[in-house]
Amino acid sequence: MSAFFEERVLSVHHWTDTLFSFTCTRDPAFRFKSGQFTMIGLMVDGKPLVRAYSMVSGHWDETLEFLSIKVQDGPLTSRLQHIRVGDTVLIGRKPVGTLLVESLQPGRNLYMLGTGTGLAPFMSLIRDPETYEPFEKIVLVHGCRTVDELVYEDLIKDELPHHELLGELVQEKLVYYPTVTREAYAHQGRVTDLIFNGKLPADLGLPAVDREQDRIMLCGSPGLLADYGAWLKANAWVEGTNTHRGEYVIEKAFVER
Ligand code: A2P
């Protein structure tokens, strides 16, 4: 049996010159947990060319959705960015990943800190009612260079609060904090600085981030993971694993940049 399902592209959306997303069919045998990723890609010269991509879609969705950067000389994304409706994509049969609610101790506020396409797994997580259960608030922070990179903003702000099944939970618990580093915007600055200096929780009227009570999920640029990972370790935060619930989790697998 091949390691991949062959799925059909259903839609493609180009957000910017460097970002696009697409949906494709989903084999009923493909099951995943919110926050996980799998290897996806294309057949190139008779061989699978694949990279790690988090699922953007809800684990209960009938179709799959992925968010990607476009790297002009990137082996995969130079090709993947040109996919069209009806094309075939490869979807790895074995989803994995560390951004699981079940790896975290229940707590007060769960901070989801993502930069760039690191938003993807959080999109899946915020569409899962079970994500909300162990926490009072879910604070979704998306850091980008420019305003046009704040993908899914409309869905998060306008659609999810009115979603038939999730709307009530989203209105009660989800707080969205988009921030931009290289343009003027309502919130500016790096995700790291905004948490370390306390501005982000203060802007939201929330108490300062506290290891005893709050939880963190991290996904994004290598710099973010290195800087934030070092801060968490220095402040004695305990990393969650699939055998031991902790205070934070980090996704280290990431698409080519
Ligand atoms: P900056 O513009 O200051 O580099 P990229 O497009 O390079 O993946 O970056 C996405 C976002 O992540 C940008 O806003 C960028 O800020 C930010 N970023 C890059 N490195 C770090 C880091 N070490 N900690 C926090 N944010 C970072």
mmCIF file of all heavy atoms in Angstrom, residues 26 30-40 52-59 64-67 92-103 117-126 128 131 217 219 242 251 253-254:
data_model
loop_
_atom_site.group_PDB
_atom_site.id
_atom_site.type_symbol
_atom_site.label_atom_id
_atom_site.label_comp_id
_atom_site.label_asym_id
_atom_site.label_seq_id
_atom_site.Cartn_x
_atom_site.Cartn_y
_atom_site.Cartn_z
ATOM 1 N N ARG A 26 -11.061 14.190 0.726
ATOM 2 C CA ARG A 26 -10.486 13.509 1.897
ATOM 3 C C ARG A 26 -10.934 12.062 1.899
ATOM 4 O O ARG A 26 -12.152 11.800 1.880
ATOM 5 C CB ARG A 26 -10.973 14.207 3.163
ATOM 6 C CG ARG A 26 -10.569 13.503 4.439
ATOM 7 C CD ARG A 26 -11.113 14.250 5.649
ATOM 8 N NE ARG A 26 -10.712 13.597 6.879
ATOM 9 C CZ ARG A 26 -10.925 14.086 8.084
ATOM 10 N NH1 ARG A 26 -11.538 15.236 8.227
ATOM 11 N NH2 ARG A 26 -10.535 13.435 9.159
ATOM 12 N N PHE A 30 -8.691 8.664 6.266
ATOM 13 C CA PHE A 30 -7.705 9.625 6.786
ATOM 14 C C PHE A 30 -8.284 10.312 8.015
ATOM 15 O O PHE A 30 -9.173 11.145 7.930
ATOM 16 C CB PHE A 30 -7.346 10.671 5.727
ATOM 17 C CG PHE A 30 -6.302 11.646 6.193
ATOM 18 C CD1 PHE A 30 -4.986 11.245 6.359
ATOM 19 C CD2 PHE A 30 -6.631 12.966 6.490
ATOM 20 C CE1 PHE A 30 -4.015 12.139 6.807
ATOM 21 C CE2 PHE A 30 -5.675 13.858 6.933
ATOM 22 C CZ PHE A 30 -4.361 13.448 7.085
ATOM 23 N N ARG A 31 -7.763 9.939 9.185
ATOM 24 C CA ARG A 31 -8.229 10.518 10.456
ATOM 25 C C ARG A 31 -7.081 11.313 11.056
ATOM 26 O O ARG A 31 -5.934 10.884 10.977
ATOM 27 C CB ARG A 31 -8.591 9.402 11.442
ATOM 28 C CG ARG A 31 -9.664 8.489 10.953
ATOM 29 C CD ARG A 31 -11.030 9.012 11.389
ATOM 30 N NE ARG A 31 -12.080 8.297 10.687
ATOM 31 C CZ ARG A 31 -12.503 7.078 10.999
ATOM 32 N NH1 ARG A 31 -11.966 6.435 12.016
ATOM 33 N NH2 ARG A 31 -13.458 6.506 10.309
ATOM 34 N N PHE A 32 -7.383 12.432 11.675
ATOM 35 C CA PHE A 32 -6.315 13.164 12.369
ATOM 36 C C PHE A 32 -6.875 13.879 13.577
ATOM 37 O O PHE A 32 -8.102 14.066 13.696
ATOM 38 C CB PHE A 32 -5.631 14.154 11.416
ATOM 39 C CG PHE A 32 -6.495 15.300 10.967
ATOM 40 C CD1 PHE A 32 -6.492 16.509 11.650
ATOM 41 C CD2 PHE A 32 -7.309 15.186 9.847
ATOM 42 C CE1 PHE A 32 -7.291 17.569 11.237
ATOM 43 C CE2 PHE A 32 -8.107 16.251 9.429
ATOM 44 C CZ PHE A 32 -8.095 17.441 10.117
ATOM 45 N N LYS A 33 -5.954 14.273 14.473
ATOM 46 C CA LYS A 33 -6.350 15.043 15.650
ATOM 47 C C LYS A 33 -6.098 16.519 15.354
ATOM 48 O O LYS A 33 -5.098 16.853 14.700
ATOM 49 C CB LYS A 33 -5.510 14.623 16.855
ATOM 50 C CG LYS A 33 -5.786 13.212 17.313
ATOM 51 C CD LYS A 33 -4.921 12.851 18.504
ATOM 52 C CE LYS A 33 -5.167 11.416 18.923
ATOM 53 N NZ LYS A 33 -4.228 10.971 19.964
ATOM 54 N N SER A 34 -6.951 17.378 15.870
ATOM 55 C CA SER A 34 -6.778 18.815 15.647
ATOM 56 C C SER A 34 -5.376 19.237 16.069
ATOM 57 O O SER A 34 -4.939 18.909 17.183
ATOM 58 C CB SER A 34 -7.787 19.597 16.485
ATOM 59 O OG SER A 34 -9.078 19.118 16.249
ATOM 60 N N GLY A 35 -4.683 19.971 15.189
ATOM 61 C CA GLY A 35 -3.336 20.447 15.491
ATOM 62 C C GLY A 35 -2.235 19.619 14.838
ATOM 63 O O GLY A 35 -1.073 20.016 14.848
ATOM 64 N N GLN A 36 -2.607 18.473 14.246
ATOM 65 C CA GLN A 36 -1.569 17.609 13.657
ATOM 66 C C GLN A 36 -1.199 18.047 12.239
ATOM 67 O O GLN A 36 -1.885 18.848 11.607
ATOM 68 C CB GLN A 36 -2.052 16.159 13.618
ATOM 69 C CG GLN A 36 -2.027 15.499 14.996
ATOM 70 C CD GLN A 36 -2.320 14.017 14.902
ATOM 71 O OE1 GLN A 36 -3.215 13.585 14.179
ATOM 72 N NE2 GLN A 36 -1.566 13.219 15.655
ATOM 73 N N PHE A 37 -0.092 17.474 11.743
ATOM 74 C CA PHE A 37 0.311 17.709 10.361
ATOM 75 C C PHE A 37 0.535 16.363 9.688
ATOM 76 O O PHE A 37 0.601 15.317 10.337
ATOM 77 C CB PHE A 37 1.590 18.554 10.293
ATOM 78 C CG PHE A 37 2.826 17.868 10.815
ATOM 79 C CD1 PHE A 37 3.628 17.084 9.995
ATOM 80 C CD2 PHE A 37 3.195 17.997 12.151
ATOM 81 C CE1 PHE A 37 4.765 16.444 10.487
ATOM 82 C CE2 PHE A 37 4.331 17.363 12.658
ATOM 83 C CZ PHE A 37 5.116 16.592 11.821
ATOM 84 N N THR A 38 0.654 16.424 8.355
ATOM 85 C CA THR A 38 1.018 15.216 7.620
ATOM 86 C C THR A 38 1.916 15.620 6.455
ATOM 87 O O THR A 38 2.089 16.815 6.182
ATOM 88 C CB THR A 38 -0.236 14.444 7.144
ATOM 89 O OG1 THR A 38 0.143 13.141 6.732
ATOM 90 C CG2 THR A 38 -0.949 15.148 5.999
ATOM 91 N N MET A 39 2.515 14.643 5.791
ATOM 92 C CA MET A 39 3.351 14.950 4.634
ATOM 93 C C MET A 39 2.441 15.083 3.416
ATOM 94 O O MET A 39 1.621 14.184 3.172
ATOM 95 C CB MET A 39 4.377 13.832 4.399
ATOM 96 C CG MET A 39 5.252 13.516 5.591
ATOM 97 S SD MET A 39 6.130 14.961 6.236
ATOM 98 C CE MET A 39 7.367 15.177 4.954
ATOM 99 N N ILE A 40 2.559 16.184 2.717
ATOM 100 C CA ILE A 40 1.748 16.317 1.500
ATOM 101 C C ILE A 40 2.627 16.807 0.347
ATOM 102 O O ILE A 40 3.700 17.373 0.565
ATOM 103 C CB ILE A 40 0.542 17.268 1.672
ATOM 104 C CG1 ILE A 40 0.985 18.739 1.701
ATOM 105 C CG2 ILE A 40 -0.260 16.955 2.914
ATOM 106 C CD1 ILE A 40 -0.159 19.677 1.394
ATOM 107 N N ALA A 52 6.075 18.636 5.278
ATOM 108 C CA ALA A 52 5.121 18.618 6.395
ATOM 109 C C ALA A 52 4.177 19.818 6.311
ATOM 110 O O ALA A 52 4.634 20.959 6.215
ATOM 111 C CB ALA A 52 5.889 18.664 7.711
ATOM 112 N N TYR A 53 2.873 19.552 6.343
ATOM 113 C CA TYR A 53 1.860 20.607 6.333
ATOM 114 C C TYR A 53 0.808 20.297 7.394
ATOM 115 O O TYR A 53 0.270 19.189 7.419
ATOM 116 C CB TYR A 53 1.135 20.676 4.986
ATOM 117 C CG TYR A 53 1.859 21.454 3.926
ATOM 118 C CD1 TYR A 53 2.892 20.890 3.201
ATOM 119 C CD2 TYR A 53 1.486 22.763 3.643
ATOM 120 C CE1 TYR A 53 3.548 21.606 2.211
ATOM 121 C CE2 TYR A 53 2.141 23.488 2.655
ATOM 122 C CZ TYR A 53 3.164 22.914 1.951
ATOM 123 O OH TYR A 53 3.805 23.620 0.983
ATOM 124 N N SER A 54 0.497 21.307 8.183
ATOM 125 C CA SER A 54 -0.587 21.147 9.160
ATOM 126 C C SER A 54 -1.931 21.224 8.459
ATOM 127 O O SER A 54 -2.100 21.997 7.519
ATOM 128 C CB SER A 54 -0.530 22.269 10.186
ATOM 129 O OG SER A 54 0.707 22.256 10.856
ATOM 130 N N MET A 55 -2.879 20.472 8.960
ATOM 131 C CA MET A 55 -4.234 20.587 8.449
ATOM 132 C C MET A 55 -4.850 21.890 8.984
ATOM 133 O O MET A 55 -4.745 22.185 10.178
ATOM 134 C CB MET A 55 -5.093 19.406 8.918
ATOM 135 C CG MET A 55 -5.019 18.193 8.024
ATOM 136 S SD MET A 55 -3.374 17.427 7.930
ATOM 137 C CE MET A 55 -3.324 16.520 9.479
ATOM 138 N N VAL A 56 -5.474 22.635 8.079
ATOM 139 C CA VAL A 56 -6.185 23.861 8.441
ATOM 140 C C VAL A 56 -7.637 23.523 8.760
ATOM 141 O O VAL A 56 -8.282 24.159 9.592
ATOM 142 C CB VAL A 56 -6.129 24.863 7.251
ATOM 143 C CG1 VAL A 56 -7.094 26.023 7.465
ATOM 144 C CG2 VAL A 56 -4.711 25.380 7.051
ATOM 145 N N SER A 57 -8.146 22.517 8.090
ATOM 146 C CA SER A 57 -9.558 22.136 8.226
ATOM 147 C C SER A 57 -9.819 21.454 9.565
ATOM 148 O O SER A 57 -8.899 20.934 10.209
ATOM 149 C CB SER A 57 -9.931 21.197 7.081
ATOM 150 O OG SER A 57 -8.864 20.341 6.772
ATOM 151 N N GLY A 58 -11.088 21.443 9.942
ATOM 152 C CA GLY A 58 -11.478 20.761 11.170
ATOM 153 C C GLY A 58 -11.351 19.254 11.002
ATOM 154 O O GLY A 58 -11.487 18.745 9.886
ATOM 155 N N HIS A 59 -11.115 18.547 12.101
ATOM 156 C CA HIS A 59 -10.918 17.091 11.984
ATOM 157 C C HIS A 59 -12.198 16.403 11.521
ATOM 158 O O HIS A 59 -12.178 15.274 11.057
ATOM 159 C CB HIS A 59 -10.410 16.495 13.299
ATOM 160 C CG HIS A 59 -11.448 16.438 14.380
ATOM 161 N ND1 HIS A 59 -12.331 15.413 14.478
ATOM 162 C CD2 HIS A 59 -11.743 17.285 15.388
ATOM 163 C CE1 HIS A 59 -13.130 15.627 15.500
ATOM 164 N NE2 HIS A 59 -12.799 16.759 16.064
ATOM 165 N N LEU A 64 -10.217 18.444 3.023
ATOM 166 C CA LEU A 64 -9.002 18.868 3.716
ATOM 167 C C LEU A 64 -8.583 20.238 3.194
ATOM 168 O O LEU A 64 -8.818 20.549 2.020
ATOM 169 C CB LEU A 64 -7.870 17.875 3.451
ATOM 170 C CG LEU A 64 -8.058 16.476 4.012
ATOM 171 C CD1 LEU A 64 -6.941 15.561 3.512
ATOM 172 C CD2 LEU A 64 -8.072 16.520 5.537
ATOM 173 N N GLU A 65 -7.959 21.020 4.059
ATOM 174 C CA GLU A 65 -7.452 22.328 3.621
ATOM 175 C C GLU A 65 -6.038 22.524 4.142
ATOM 176 O O GLU A 65 -5.726 22.138 5.277
ATOM 177 C CB GLU A 65 -8.366 23.445 4.144
ATOM 178 C CG GLU A 65 -7.898 24.825 3.706
ATOM 179 C CD GLU A 65 -8.945 25.912 3.906
ATOM 180 O OE1 GLU A 65 -10.057 25.617 4.388
ATOM 181 O OE2 GLU A 65 -8.627 27.069 3.567
ATOM 182 N N PHE A 66 -5.192 23.138 3.310
ATOM 183 C CA PHE A 66 -3.794 23.396 3.668
ATOM 184 C C PHE A 66 -3.415 24.819 3.276
ATOM 185 O O PHE A 66 -3.943 25.362 2.299
ATOM 186 C CB PHE A 66 -2.868 22.412 2.935
ATOM 187 C CG PHE A 66 -3.133 20.980 3.282
ATOM 188 C CD1 PHE A 66 -3.965 20.208 2.476
ATOM 189 C CD2 PHE A 66 -2.592 20.402 4.423
ATOM 190 C CE1 PHE A 66 -4.239 18.884 2.794
ATOM 191 C CE2 PHE A 66 -2.866 19.081 4.751
ATOM 192 C CZ PHE A 66 -3.685 18.320 3.935
ATOM 193 N N LEU A 67 -2.491 25.392 4.038
ATOM 194 C CA LEU A 67 -1.983 26.747 3.781
ATOM 195 C C LEU A 67 -0.501 26.636 3.459
ATOM 196 O O LEU A 67 0.234 25.932 4.160
ATOM 197 C CB LEU A 67 -2.177 27.602 5.050
ATOM 198 C CG LEU A 67 -1.543 28.989 5.064
ATOM 199 C CD1 LEU A 67 -2.182 29.908 4.027
ATOM 200 C CD2 LEU A 67 -1.678 29.612 6.463
ATOM 201 N N GLY A 92 -0.181 12.266 2.973
ATOM 202 C CA GLY A 92 0.408 11.189 3.773
ATOM 203 C C GLY A 92 -0.619 10.540 4.687
ATOM 204 O O GLY A 92 -1.427 11.227 5.306
ATOM 205 N N ARG A 93 -0.555 9.215 4.762
ATOM 206 C CA ARG A 93 -1.567 8.486 5.539
ATOM 207 C C ARG A 93 -1.402 8.620 7.040
ATOM 208 O O ARG A 93 -2.286 8.246 7.798
ATOM 209 C CB ARG A 93 -1.476 6.982 5.199
ATOM 210 C CG ARG A 93 -2.023 6.647 3.841
ATOM 211 C CD ARG A 93 -1.792 5.187 3.504
ATOM 212 N NE ARG A 93 -2.259 4.919 2.162
ATOM 213 C CZ ARG A 93 -3.485 4.468 1.857
ATOM 214 N NH1 ARG A 93 -4.337 4.190 2.818
ATOM 215 N NH2 ARG A 93 -3.828 4.275 0.608
ATOM 216 N N LYS A 94 -0.198 9.110 7.485
ATOM 217 C CA LYS A 94 0.062 9.084 8.932
ATOM 218 C C LYS A 94 0.236 10.475 9.526
ATOM 219 O O LYS A 94 1.351 10.986 9.628
ATOM 220 C CB LYS A 94 1.343 8.283 9.198
ATOM 221 C CG LYS A 94 1.140 6.812 9.029
ATOM 222 C CD LYS A 94 2.242 6.041 9.714
ATOM 223 C CE LYS A 94 2.020 4.557 9.529
ATOM 224 N NZ LYS A 94 3.251 3.833 9.281
ATOM 225 N N PRO A 95 -0.860 11.112 9.941
ATOM 226 C CA PRO A 95 -0.722 12.415 10.583
ATOM 227 C C PRO A 95 -0.026 12.284 11.944
ATOM 228 O O PRO A 95 -0.226 11.285 12.648
ATOM 229 C CB PRO A 95 -2.169 12.885 10.746
ATOM 230 C CG PRO A 95 -2.997 11.673 10.627
ATOM 231 C CD PRO A 95 -2.238 10.642 9.877
ATOM 232 N N VAL A 96 0.777 13.272 12.284
ATOM 233 C CA VAL A 96 1.484 13.288 13.571
ATOM 234 C C VAL A 96 1.549 14.738 14.060
ATOM 235 O O VAL A 96 1.095 15.647 13.361
ATOM 236 C CB VAL A 96 2.933 12.730 13.462
ATOM 237 C CG1 VAL A 96 2.935 11.231 13.300
ATOM 238 C CG2 VAL A 96 3.679 13.399 12.311
ATOM 239 N N GLY A 97 2.171 14.938 15.214
ATOM 240 C CA GLY A 97 2.358 16.315 15.670
ATOM 241 C C GLY A 97 2.206 16.460 17.165
ATOM 242 O O GLY A 97 1.632 15.610 17.835
ATOM 243 N N THR A 98 2.730 17.573 17.660
ATOM 244 C CA THR A 98 2.795 17.792 19.106
ATOM 245 C C THR A 98 1.782 18.821 19.614
ATOM 246 O O THR A 98 1.634 18.980 20.816
ATOM 247 C CB THR A 98 4.193 18.309 19.494
ATOM 248 O OG1 THR A 98 4.496 19.423 18.650
ATOM 249 C CG2 THR A 98 5.244 17.248 19.334
ATOM 250 N N LEU A 99 1.108 19.528 18.700
ATOM 251 C CA LEU A 99 0.200 20.597 19.162
ATOM 252 C C LEU A 99 -1.157 20.016 19.536
ATOM 253 O O LEU A 99 -2.160 20.278 18.877
ATOM 254 C CB LEU A 99 0.028 21.653 18.070
ATOM 255 C CG LEU A 99 1.268 22.422 17.651
ATOM 256 C CD1 LEU A 99 0.934 23.415 16.551
ATOM 257 C CD2 LEU A 99 1.888 23.153 18.837
ATOM 258 N N LEU A 100 -1.162 19.231 20.582
ATOM 259 C CA LEU A 100 -2.398 18.545 20.965
ATOM 260 C C LEU A 100 -2.888 19.055 22.317
ATOM 261 O O LEU A 100 -2.094 19.180 23.267
ATOM 262 C CB LEU A 100 -2.149 17.036 21.075
ATOM 263 C CG LEU A 100 -1.600 16.347 19.823
ATOM 264 C CD1 LEU A 100 -1.382 14.863 20.107
ATOM 265 C CD2 LEU A 100 -2.562 16.520 18.647
ATOM 266 N N VAL A 101 -4.160 19.314 22.391
ATOM 267 C CA VAL A 101 -4.735 19.755 23.665
ATOM 268 C C VAL A 101 -4.512 18.691 24.735
ATOM 269 O O VAL A 101 -4.265 18.996 25.897
ATOM 270 C CB VAL A 101 -6.238 20.081 23.491
ATOM 271 C CG1 VAL A 101 -6.920 20.274 24.831
ATOM 272 C CG2 VAL A 101 -6.411 21.331 22.641
ATOM 273 N N GLU A 102 -4.535 17.424 24.310
ATOM 274 C CA GLU A 102 -4.371 16.339 25.295
ATOM 275 C C GLU A 102 -2.951 16.285 25.878
ATOM 276 O O GLU A 102 -2.707 15.566 26.839
ATOM 277 C CB GLU A 102 -4.732 14.989 24.658
ATOM 278 C CG GLU A 102 -3.782 14.561 23.575
ATOM 279 C CD GLU A 102 -4.347 13.439 22.693
ATOM 280 O OE1 GLU A 102 -5.545 13.459 22.401
ATOM 281 O OE2 GLU A 102 -3.562 12.561 22.310
ATOM 282 N N SER A 103 -2.001 17.039 25.301
ATOM 283 C CA SER A 103 -0.646 17.086 25.863
ATOM 284 C C SER A 103 -0.486 18.228 26.864
ATOM 285 O O SER A 103 0.596 18.438 27.404
ATOM 286 C CB SER A 103 0.393 17.266 24.751
ATOM 287 O OG SER A 103 0.368 16.164 23.883
ATOM 288 N N THR A 117 2.692 31.004 8.232
ATOM 289 C CA THR A 117 1.833 29.830 8.024
ATOM 290 C C THR A 117 1.723 28.973 9.288
ATOM 291 O O THR A 117 1.005 27.973 9.289
ATOM 292 C CB THR A 117 2.342 28.963 6.860
ATOM 293 O OG1 THR A 117 3.711 28.678 7.092
ATOM 294 C CG2 THR A 117 2.181 29.669 5.528
ATOM 295 N N GLY A 118 2.421 29.373 10.330
ATOM 296 C CA GLY A 118 2.290 28.702 11.629
ATOM 297 C C GLY A 118 0.894 28.861 12.212
ATOM 298 O O GLY A 118 0.550 28.247 13.232
ATOM 299 N N LEU A 119 0.060 29.657 11.544
ATOM 300 C CA LEU A 119 -1.346 29.775 11.962
ATOM 301 C C LEU A 119 -2.122 28.485 11.671
ATOM 302 O O LEU A 119 -3.120 28.182 12.339
ATOM 303 C CB LEU A 119 -2.012 30.930 11.192
ATOM 304 C CG LEU A 119 -3.502 31.122 11.422
ATOM 305 C CD1 LEU A 119 -3.752 31.675 12.835
ATOM 306 C CD2 LEU A 119 -4.120 32.048 10.376
ATOM 307 N N ALA A 120 -1.668 27.731 10.657
ATOM 308 C CA ALA A 120 -2.466 26.618 10.119
ATOM 309 C C ALA A 120 -3.014 25.644 11.177
ATOM 310 O O ALA A 120 -4.226 25.410 11.210
ATOM 311 C CB ALA A 120 -1.664 25.869 9.054
ATOM 312 N N PRO A 121 -2.174 25.060 12.029
ATOM 313 C CA PRO A 121 -2.721 24.072 12.965
ATOM 314 C C PRO A 121 -3.735 24.683 13.932
ATOM 315 O O PRO A 121 -4.653 24.008 14.396
ATOM 316 C CB PRO A 121 -1.494 23.552 13.719
ATOM 317 C CG PRO A 121 -0.464 24.623 13.566
ATOM 318 C CD PRO A 121 -0.719 25.233 12.206
ATOM 319 N N PHE A 122 -3.569 25.974 14.215
ATOM 320 C CA PHE A 122 -4.495 26.627 15.136
ATOM 321 C C PHE A 122 -5.870 26.797 14.495
ATOM 322 O O PHE A 122 -6.888 26.813 15.186
ATOM 323 C CB PHE A 122 -3.931 27.976 15.608
ATOM 324 C CG PHE A 122 -2.606 27.839 16.300
ATOM 325 C CD1 PHE A 122 -1.561 28.700 16.038
ATOM 326 C CD2 PHE A 122 -2.392 26.815 17.219
ATOM 327 C CE1 PHE A 122 -0.329 28.569 16.671
ATOM 328 C CE2 PHE A 122 -1.165 26.661 17.860
ATOM 329 C CZ PHE A 122 -0.136 27.541 17.584
ATOM 330 N N MET A 123 -5.889 26.916 13.166
ATOM 331 C CA MET A 123 -7.179 27.011 12.473
ATOM 332 C C MET A 123 -7.978 25.730 12.690
ATOM 333 O O MET A 123 -9.189 25.751 12.845
ATOM 334 C CB MET A 123 -6.979 27.255 10.979
ATOM 335 C CG MET A 123 -6.426 28.619 10.634
ATOM 336 S SD MET A 123 -7.393 29.967 11.330
ATOM 337 C CE MET A 123 -8.978 29.685 10.540
ATOM 338 N N SER A 124 -7.267 24.609 12.663
ATOM 339 C CA SER A 124 -7.928 23.329 12.898
ATOM 340 C C SER A 124 -8.370 23.230 14.363
ATOM 341 O O SER A 124 -9.496 22.827 14.666
ATOM 342 C CB SER A 124 -6.967 22.197 12.534
ATOM 343 O OG SER A 124 -7.598 20.965 12.705
ATOM 344 N N LEU A 125 -7.484 23.647 15.254
ATOM 345 C CA LEU A 125 -7.790 23.547 16.689
ATOM 346 C C LEU A 125 -8.984 24.410 17.097
ATOM 347 O O LEU A 125 -9.813 23.972 17.900
ATOM 348 C CB LEU A 125 -6.555 23.948 17.503
ATOM 349 C CG LEU A 125 -5.504 22.845 17.652
ATOM 350 C CD1 LEU A 125 -4.125 23.437 17.941
ATOM 351 C CD2 LEU A 125 -5.900 21.865 18.756
ATOM 352 N N ILE A 126 -9.079 25.622 16.529
ATOM 353 C CA ILE A 126 -10.191 26.490 16.968
ATOM 354 C C ILE A 126 -11.516 26.052 16.369
ATOM 355 O O ILE A 126 -12.564 26.565 16.733
ATOM 356 C CB ILE A 126 -9.945 27.994 16.679
ATOM 357 C CG1 ILE A 126 -9.813 28.266 15.179
ATOM 358 C CG2 ILE A 126 -8.754 28.510 17.463
ATOM 359 C CD1 ILE A 126 -9.809 29.758 14.830
ATOM 360 N N ASP A 128 -12.475 22.950 16.703
ATOM 361 C CA ASP A 128 -12.795 21.735 17.443
ATOM 362 C C ASP A 128 -13.365 22.119 18.815
ATOM 363 O O ASP A 128 -12.654 22.706 19.642
ATOM 364 C CB ASP A 128 -11.499 20.923 17.613
ATOM 365 C CG ASP A 128 -11.744 19.598 18.286
ATOM 366 O OD1 ASP A 128 -12.855 19.379 18.819
ATOM 367 O OD2 ASP A 128 -10.808 18.771 18.294
ATOM 368 N N THR A 131 -11.288 21.677 21.999
ATOM 369 C CA THR A 131 -10.165 22.562 22.326
ATOM 370 C C THR A 131 -10.554 23.531 23.441
ATOM 371 O O THR A 131 -9.738 23.911 24.280
ATOM 372 C CB THR A 131 -9.758 23.383 21.073
ATOM 373 O OG1 THR A 131 -9.404 22.485 20.037
ATOM 374 C CG2 THR A 131 -8.593 24.319 21.365
ATOM 375 N N MET A 217 0.809 27.165 23.158
ATOM 376 C CA MET A 217 1.122 26.359 21.979
ATOM 377 C C MET A 217 1.870 27.264 21.009
ATOM 378 O O MET A 217 1.433 28.389 20.757
ATOM 379 C CB MET A 217 -0.151 25.880 21.281
ATOM 380 C CG MET A 217 -0.918 24.829 22.026
ATOM 381 S SD MET A 217 -2.336 24.310 21.019
ATOM 382 C CE MET A 217 -2.641 22.692 21.715
ATOM 383 N N CYS A 219 3.849 27.716 17.158
ATOM 384 C CA CYS A 219 4.106 27.201 15.820
ATOM 385 C C CYS A 219 4.495 28.363 14.915
ATOM 386 O O CYS A 219 3.774 29.360 14.853
ATOM 387 C CB CYS A 219 2.856 26.514 15.271
ATOM 388 S SG CYS A 219 3.140 25.678 13.709
ATOM 389 N N ASN A 242 3.339 13.295 24.479
ATOM 390 C CA ASN A 242 2.161 12.436 24.334
ATOM 391 C C ASN A 242 1.990 11.458 25.498
ATOM 392 O O ASN A 242 0.988 10.762 25.582
ATOM 393 C CB ASN A 242 2.133 11.722 22.976
ATOM 394 C CG ASN A 242 3.394 10.951 22.736
ATOM 395 O OD1 ASN A 242 4.218 10.820 23.645
ATOM 396 N ND2 ASN A 242 3.573 10.440 21.536
ATOM 397 N N GLU A 251 5.486 22.995 17.943
ATOM 398 C CA GLU A 251 5.588 22.187 16.723
ATOM 399 C C GLU A 251 6.892 22.518 16.016
ATOM 400 O O GLU A 251 7.085 23.637 15.568
ATOM 401 C CB GLU A 251 4.401 22.479 15.778
ATOM 402 C CG GLU A 251 4.362 21.521 14.615
ATOM 403 C CD GLU A 251 4.441 20.080 15.101
ATOM 404 O OE1 GLU A 251 3.421 19.556 15.585
ATOM 405 O OE2 GLU A 251 5.544 19.488 15.020
ATOM 406 N N ALA A 253 8.266 20.571 13.404
ATOM 407 C CA ALA A 253 8.254 20.214 11.985
ATOM 408 C C ALA A 253 7.634 21.370 11.227
ATOM 409 O O ALA A 253 6.614 21.896 11.630
ATOM 410 C CB ALA A 253 7.420 18.964 11.771
ATOM 411 N N PHE A 254 8.250 21.779 10.157
ATOM 412 C CA PHE A 254 7.662 22.903 9.440
ATOM 413 C C PHE A 254 8.019 22.861 7.977
ATOM 414 O O PHE A 254 9.045 22.331 7.581
ATOM 415 C CB PHE A 254 8.120 24.222 10.079
ATOM 416 C CG PHE A 254 7.085 25.292 9.952
ATOM 417 C CD1 PHE A 254 5.821 25.107 10.479
ATOM 418 C CD2 PHE A 254 7.370 26.462 9.280
ATOM 419 C CE1 PHE A 254 4.856 26.078 10.343
ATOM 420 C CE2 PHE A 254 6.400 27.439 9.144
ATOM 421 C CZ PHE A 254 5.144 27.252 9.677
#
